[in-house]
């Protein structure tokens, strides 16, 4: 899924991944850089249920008019050592999926809601769960699915990786490492573009990458898909590469990166 409910990281920002609800909105990068600090809410989880949503896909979304901006995040919630010191010591909370396998740390004042993830049959339904992370304003900013089935499509792109880092807690079912990445894909041959920020196999962040690939990571309990929720209807999210790089210096970026780096599979 790739869109924030109500407001978006696009209201807070803008970019692609299969099926976002509300996106991180994209007001102005200037406002995004100039402000920081919001009030918090209690964390919590919901119950799963409902019919199966469409499967996550790696197909690139169509390009659209760019706008920029993002809702600032509280400074106190930034973790300086994802996967290191206990989350509580860094002012964070920990969420663990119902089956006990995937966990991650998120800022105090944010909350996590769970819902039914994609499934093929009744036997696999219970094990497929999507955790939607909402920031202190109530905007959906991150989606993490666990135990779902995998499918999707990919196309040819020219990828520019702006940031990448190992996610030590996630190794795929065949022993391949996973990485966090923030990147820009220019779809070939039409030249449309989109930004994405997610966790995928490390091999997809190499300079030689020419396929849009997928953020689906196969684990022992099924597929994991973890990504920041950008508004794919408003591509390419940032008005320029300079604006995207400027966002990387903000607290919001640090918060989101820290959350994805903290992912662990047990």
């Amino acid at each position: 899924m790739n869109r924030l409910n109500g407001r978006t990281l696009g209201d807070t920002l803008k970019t692609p991944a299969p099926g976002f609800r509300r996106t991180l909105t994209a007001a102005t990068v200037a406002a995004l850089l100039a402000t920081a600090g919001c009030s918090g809410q209690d964390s919590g989880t919901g119950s799963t249920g409902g019919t199966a949503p469409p499967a996550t896909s790696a197909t690139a979304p169509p390009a659209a008019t760019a706008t920029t901006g993002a809702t600032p995040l509280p400074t106190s919630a930034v973790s300086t050592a994802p996967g290191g010191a206990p989350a509580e010591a860094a002012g964070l909370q920990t969420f663990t999926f119902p089956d006990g396998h995937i966990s991650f740390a998120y800022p105090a004042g944010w909350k996590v809601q769970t819902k039914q993830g994609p499934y093929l049959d009744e036997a696999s339904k219970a094990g497929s769960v999507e955790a939607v992370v909402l920031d202190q304003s109530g905007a959906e900013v991150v989606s993490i699915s666990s135990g779902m089935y995998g499918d999707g499509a990919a196309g040819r792109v020219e990828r520019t990786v702006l940031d990448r880092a190992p996610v030590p807690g996630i190794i795929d079912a065949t022993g391949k490492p996973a990485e966090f990445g923030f990147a820009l894909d220019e779809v070939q041959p039409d030249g449309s573009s989109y930004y994405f920020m997610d966790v995928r196999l490390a091999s997809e962040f190499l300079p030689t990458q020419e396929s849009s690939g997928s953020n689906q990571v196969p684990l022992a309990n099924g597929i994991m898909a973890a990504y920041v929720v950008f508004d794919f209807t408003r591509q390419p999210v940032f008005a320029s590469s300079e604006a995207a790089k400027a966002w990387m210096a903000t607290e919001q970026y640090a918060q989101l990166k820290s959350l994805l780096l903290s992912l662990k599979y047990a």
Side-chain angles (χ1 to χ4, degrees):
M1 316 206 49
N2 293 14
R3 198 186 309 220
L4 299 178
N5 288 328
R7 271 190 358 178
T8 64
L9 182 53
D11 291 350
T12 322
L13 276 170
K14 309 180 292 180
T15 304
F20 288 10
R21 282 165 301 288
R22 245 175 32 170
T23 35
L24 303 177
T25 57
T28 65
V29 168
L32 188 153
L33 298 175
T35 49
C38 301
S39 60
Q41 346 175 327
D42 292 333
S43 64
T45 59
S47 58
T48 61
T51 57
T56 300
S57 167
T59 304
T65 304
T67 61
T68 58
T71 299
L73 305 181
T75 59
S76 62
V78 178
S79 172
T80 57
E88 295 75 12
L92 304 176
Q93 306 172 89
T94 299
F95 174 84
T96 301
F97 277 81
D99 64 6
H101 289 301
I102 295 176
S103 64
F104 60 89
Y106 63 102
W110 292 18
K111 66 190 234 181
V112 179
Q113 296 178 342
T114 59
K115 61 190 298 182
Q116 179 65 60
Y119 61 94
L120 291 174
D121 50 42
E122 289 302 311
S124 61
K125 179 178 179 179
S128 181
V129 177
E130 179 187 4
V132 179
V133 183
L134 290 76
D135 69 9
Q136 70 290 333
S137 72
E140 295 176 15
V141 292
V142 176
S143 171
I144 301 171
S145 293
S146 174
M148 68 178 191
Y149 69 93
D151 71 354
R156 195 163 70 88
V157 300
E158 182 175 320
R159 177 162 295 168
T160 301
V161 178
L162 301 175
D163 190 14
R164 59 183 290 196
V167 181
I170 300 293
I171 301 295
D172 92 338
T174 65
K176 296 175 183 176
E179 286 193 355
F180 154 88
F182 177 45
L184 168 67
D185 272 1
E186 295 178 80
V187 180
Q188 304 300 312
D190 68 13
S192 60
S193 61
Y194 60 89
Y195 288 85
F196 67 90
M197 185 173 177
D198 61 22
V199 173
R200 57 181 64 203
L201 295 182
S203 58
E204 292 202 20
F205 291 119
L206 298 177
T208 54
Q209 180 71 14
E210 294 183 344
S211 170
S212 57
S214 173
N215 59 11
Q216 297 181 14
V217 179
L219 299 173
N221 72 329
I223 299 296
M224 180 193 81
Y227 55 83
V228 168
V229 176
F230 287 124
D231 185 355
F232 293 165
T233 67
R234 290 182 284 180
Q235 286 298 322
V237 180
F238 298 100
S240 65
S241 60
E242 289 73 22
K245 291 175 182 177
W247 180 58
M248 292 170 63
T250 66
E251 209 127 30
Q252 181 179 56
Y253 183 87
Q255 296 274 27
L256 297 169
K257 178 178 178 179
S258 177
L259 188 155
L260 293 178
L261 287 176
S262 74
L263 281 162
K264 296 179 183 177
Y265 183 89

